[in-house]
Amino acid sequence: PVARIKCNGYVVSDTMGPLYEKYNYPVIYPARIRQAIEDNPDGEDLVLELNSGGGSVFSGFEIYSVLRNAGCNTVAEIQSIAGSAASTIACGCKTVMMSPVAQLMIHDPATSTQGNIREHKESLHVLNAIKESILNGYVARCGSKCSRERLHALMTKETWLPAQEAV
């Protein structure tokens, strides 16, 4: 038996998720995933139909952690794209499957900064720390199939991976 949840659109915070949904925008947010896990019938897999170009890295991290600790088997079924924060979400599932036409996209985190030299240096520090966290999730998913250094390089150049390469 399998339960399915559509995970389309932007990855957003719990604060923003219901607001976007009110206006019929497709979004993925931590509370929605927690609820799907809670509602999942005992003994059934929870399949996330993942179609997202990403969004909030921290909401993606939260969803990753929730999925890693779920009391059920979790499956990411990438149907079209799992990009950016959505790629991190996929890594949180126990199993990851991709359609032969799907893409996985990974890249360095981004932000915008205003201010003086100190503020820009702080933003650089934060971006590097976030990249290390993203890499932790990728390394945990890949095991010995791909080194941290290789994943780092793929993120740096922004890489789009079809299913065959993502494996």
Side-chain angles (χ1 to χ4, degrees):
V2 175
R4 304 178 81 78
I5 179 173
K6 290 183 180 179
C7 295
N8 298 350
Y10 295 114
V11 179
V12 299
S13 69
D14 284 342
T15 305
M16 296 304 296
L19 180 62
Y20 277 102
E21 287 180 329
K22 180 178 178 179
Y23 295 99
N24 297 315
Y25 285 95
V27 289
I28 308 163
Y29 55 98
R32 197 162 163 257
I33 302 302
R34 286 181 202 280
Q35 190 65 54
I37 291 168
E38 185 178 311
D39 293 345
N40 196 55
D42 287 341
E44 287 193 18
D45 293 352
L46 177 62
V47 177
L48 281 70
E49 296 177 1
L50 194 53
N51 301 293
S52 172
S56 166
V57 68
F58 294 111
S59 295
F61 286 171
E62 184 176 353
I63 294 169
Y64 170 93
S65 299
V66 166
L67 290 167
R68 294 278 293 191
N69 294 311
C72 60
N73 186 48
T74 55
V75 179
E77 185 180 275
I78 303 169
Q79 297 174 337
S80 61
I81 182 173
S84 192
S87 70
T88 305
I89 291 170
C91 288
C93 289
K94 291 176 178 71
T95 303
V96 179
M97 301 183 325
M98 287 181 73
S99 165
V101 296
Q103 292 281 314
L104 184 79
M105 187 275 285
I106 62 176
H107 67 96
D108 281 345
T111 191
S112 60
T113 304
Q114 292 182 339
N116 60 31
I117 292 170
R118 183 191 52 74
E119 290 163 325
H120 286 280
K121 285 181 180 179
E122 179 60 26
S123 287
L124 182 59
H125 172 76
V126 169
L127 287 171
N128 283 320
I130 291 169
K131 182 172 184 170
E132 290 303 312
S133 292
I134 295 168
L135 281 165
N136 290 340
Y138 291 163
V139 168
R141 169 89 267 158
C142 293
S144 61
K145 291 181 183 179
C146 192
S147 71
R148 186 178 193 90
E149 293 74 23
R150 175 83 174 122
L151 290 163
H152 186 283
L154 291 172
M155 286 178 70
T156 298
K157 68 179 191 169
E158 182 177 300
T159 304
W160 290 79
L161 300 163
Q164 301 83 349
E165 289 181 40
V167 169

